Structure formats: C-alpha cells, structure tokens
C-alpha cells in the first residue's frame, strides 16, 4: 500500500503523520506517479502551520520527481515509464505514490536526474519568475538577495551571475556567507552583525539597489526597503521569519516612491504555457552550469525532523525527502 504524510490539525512538525493511503487508478487527464524524491520547501511549513490554510485533513507537499506508472483517458503528452517532476498544486507531494493532473507535470530531459529535479523545480522556477519576470534583471544591475545561502538564494546567486548582475546577499553566519560567495554572491552581509541597509549604501556608493528579493519577511522588511534606490522594487516572496503585518503604504512614498509586490510561483506558472516556459528556462540555466546543491537528505518517514531542521535554519541549499 502507498504511504503519505498527512496533517489532521494545523500546528507543529509533530502534527504530520506518515500513514497508509489508497491511490486509485488515474481518472481523465490524470497520471499515477511512483515517486523517488520529494522536495522540502518553506511553503510546506506555511501549509502545516495554517498560515496558508488547507482543508483538513490534508496531504502536504508541492514538489517531487518520479516515474509515470499509469495514465488516464485524454493524456497524450506523457507515457508510462516517463520520468517527470513538478512543483505545483494539488498538495500531496510527500508520498510514495500519487495522482496528478498531467498538465502540471514536466517531462524530464535525459540530462537531469530525478534527484536533481526534485531539488530544483520549486526553488529554481521561483528564481526564474523573480529575476526574469517580476523584476527583469539586466546585465550590470546590482541586486540585494536576502538569505543568499538558502535553497532559493544559492540558485539565485548563480543565475544572476549568468545574467551579468552584481549580487549582494545576506547570511546568518560566516559559514553561510562563504557558501553564498562560493555560488557567485559578490558581497555578503552578516545580518546579525551588520546594518544591512548601511552596507548596501556603502557598496553602491550611496545609490541603493533597484530591487530587493526578500523571502524572510517580518524580520528584514525595514532593511530591505532602506536598501532601495528611489522607485526601486521590494519583492517579498516569503515569510520565513513571519508575515509582514500592518504595513503602512505611506512608507513607500516616504522612502522614495517605491514599488512593492508579493508574487507567488503558483500565479506565475498558472498556465501550462507559463509552466513550460519557466521550467525550460531553468533547464537551460542548469545546462549552462547552474548547480543544485542538495545538502540534506531525509527519509520520507523522518519528515518531522526535516521540518524541525528547516525551521531552525539548520539547512542550506536544497533538501530532499527520499522515498
């Protein structure tokens, strides 16, 4: 019988249970996947805690890679035996087997392993929409990326260097700073020891940056805004330290007619066309040397410990749950 991680009530990591589930035959437009690896992402924490509410009880997880075992009626672009990956709803990626709508799946090229795909799809396509579509970074731009040693951050540092940007990153320790630098970050600010905005102004000769990418949230919003040049863009794409609340829009005018956006991967890959375009751009960057650092692996049954380590900021790069 298949097994999956499910939550019956929102809350801490211990609220996740690893239990038997029935996976039936695929219906019209569906495929059944035997999964090899599941990606661990901070959005999974938001779902587990109820910050992003799910209808409970619920499966959890948005990213995995595996092999197509069966196809339903109307599925013409995939076949049994194809290797596929995804980073998309419906939730339920933390599972040994599952059903998925075919149009949310990406067939993997021979050059990308299932393991690499499970470590790159959500974080890599997040970087794609952030730096290519939310604020299209141009060669010569200087950008600030908060939490540069995280999974998204390490991919972003490398991809931004491929574009020709100068990257300022933040990190919480000298070890994480060294990791960010090793992946292309030009300047790393230790946010616990330095004034981020002050250092950004020093690095940019007082000008500030045109864009800040911030997946941390409440703890970094002030430093991010103060690092922007006039008419710069604050891109808030995550809440690792908690959500930004009670924000006064007048702050944007006071700090230089700033722009602010809260994008999501799900919006930027909502259409099949956008999903394919995003994954293709990611695979192209990978072919040009983008490295996916899978620095932690846990058995799927050990998902509770994996979530504890993620929330304690003990992880770097990508983390996989091995089925």
């Amino acid at each position: 019988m298949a097994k999956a991680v499910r939550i019956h009530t929102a809350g801490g990591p211990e609220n996740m249970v690893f239990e038997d589930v029935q996976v039936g035959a695929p219906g019209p437009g569906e495929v059944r996947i035997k999964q090899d690896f599941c990606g661990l992402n901070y959005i999974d924490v938001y779902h587990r805690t109820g910050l992003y509410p799910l209808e409970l009880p619920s499966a959890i997880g948005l990213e995995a890679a595996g092999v197509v075992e069966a196809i339903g009626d109307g599925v013409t672009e995939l076949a049994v035996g194809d290797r596929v990956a995804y980073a998309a709803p419906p939730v339920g990626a933390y599972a040994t087997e599952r059903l998925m709508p075919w149009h949310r799946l990406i067939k993997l090229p021979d050059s990308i392993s299932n393991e690499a795909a499970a470590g790159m799809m959500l974080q890599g396509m997040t970087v794609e929409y952030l730096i290519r579509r939310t604020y299209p970074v141009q060669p010569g731009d200087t950008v600030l990326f908060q939490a540069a040693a995280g999974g998204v951050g390490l991919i972003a540092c490398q991809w931004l260097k491929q574009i020709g940007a100068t990257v300022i990153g933040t990190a919480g320790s000298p070890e994480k700073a060294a990791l960010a630098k090793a992946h292309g970050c030009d300047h790393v600010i230790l946010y616990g020891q330095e004034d981020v905005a002050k250092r950004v102004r020093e690095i940019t000769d007082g000008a500030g940056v045109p864009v800040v990418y911030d997946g941390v949230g409440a703890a970094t919003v002030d430093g991010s805004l103060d690092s922007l040049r006039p008419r710069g863009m604050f891109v808030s794409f995550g809440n690792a330290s908690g959500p930004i609340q009670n924000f006064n829009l007048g702050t944007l005018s006071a700090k230089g007619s700033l722009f602010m956006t809260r994008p999501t991967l799900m919006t930027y890959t909502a259409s099949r066309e956008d999903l394919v375009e995003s994954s293709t751009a990611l695979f192209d960057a990978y072919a040009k040397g983008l490295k996916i650092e899978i620095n932690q692996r846990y058995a799927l049954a050990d998902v509770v410990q994996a979530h504890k380590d993620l929330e304690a900021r003990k992880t770097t790069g990508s983390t996989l749950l091995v089925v």
Side-chain angles (χ1 to χ4, degrees), residues 63 116 172 282:
E63 177 182 41
L282 172 61

Side-chain angles (χ1 to χ4, degrees), residues 4-7 16 35 37-48 52 54 58-65 86-95 98-100 118 122 266 300 303 307 321:
V5 177
R6 290 169 57 82
I7 51 175
M16 295 181 294
Q35 304 200 135
F37 303 94
C38 314
L40 177 68
N41 297 284
Y42 224 96
I43 193 172
D44 305 339
V45 174
Y46 305 155
H47 284 146
R48 191 202 74 224
Y52 295 175
L54 299 173
S58 176
I60 189 172
L62 285 169
E63 177 182 41
Y86 62 90
V91 294
Y94 292 5
R98 73 170 302 191
L99 301 176
M100 276 289 288
L122 194 145
M266 305 317 156
L300 182 58
V303 65
H307 270 235
L321 302 172

Side-chain angles (χ1 to χ4, degrees), residues 65-252:
V67 178
V68 174
E69 281 195 318
I71 61 174
D73 291 342
V75 178
T76 59
E77 295 188 27
L78 294 172
V80 172
D82 283 346
R83 296 185 307 111
V84 295
Y86 62 90
V91 294
Y94 292 5
T96 59
E97 298 178 41
R98 73 170 302 191
L99 301 176
M100 276 289 288
W102 78 267
H103 61 90
R104 305 312 294 164
L105 300 173
I106 296 295
K107 185 177 178 180
L108 295 175
D110 293 341
S111 58
I112 298 177
S113 69
N114 289 7
E115 185 178 40
M120 78 161 69
M121 293 298 288
L122 194 145
Q123 294 172 347
M125 290 194 298
T126 294
V127 172
E128 184 280 322
Y129 86 76
L130 288 174
I131 69 174
R132 295 179 74 245
R133 291 186 282 160
T134 303
Y135 178 93
V137 177
Q138 302 301 312
D141 281 347
T142 298
V143 308
L144 173 62
F145 208 100
Q146 298 275 18
V152 175
L154 292 183
I155 295 172
C157 288
Q158 297 175 76
W159 204 333
L160 287 163
K161 294 309 294 181
Q162 285 188 6
I163 292 172
T166 297
V167 185
I168 305 172
T170 65
S173 68
E175 294 76 18
K176 288 188 175 182
L179 186 61
K181 283 189 175 181
H183 287 78
C185 196
D186 298 283
H187 309 274
V188 184
I189 303 168
L190 294 174
Y191 59 78
Q193 302 176 24
E194 302 175 273
D195 183 317
V196 172
K198 181 180 178 181
R199 284 287 295 123
V200 169
R201 296 288 173 181
E202 291 171 353
I203 293 166
T204 60
D205 295 325
V209 293
V211 62
V212 177
Y213 297 106
D214 190 332
V216 180
T220 52
V221 58
D222 291 335
S224 290
L225 292 172
D226 288 339
S227 297
L228 287 167
R229 72 186 187 192
R231 292 183 290 169
M233 178 177 285
F234 173 49
V235 182
S236 175
F237 68 94
N239 317 289
S241 67
I244 299 168
Q245 297 179 326
N246 303 316
F247 185 79
N248 181 355
L249 285 176
T251 303
L252 300 179

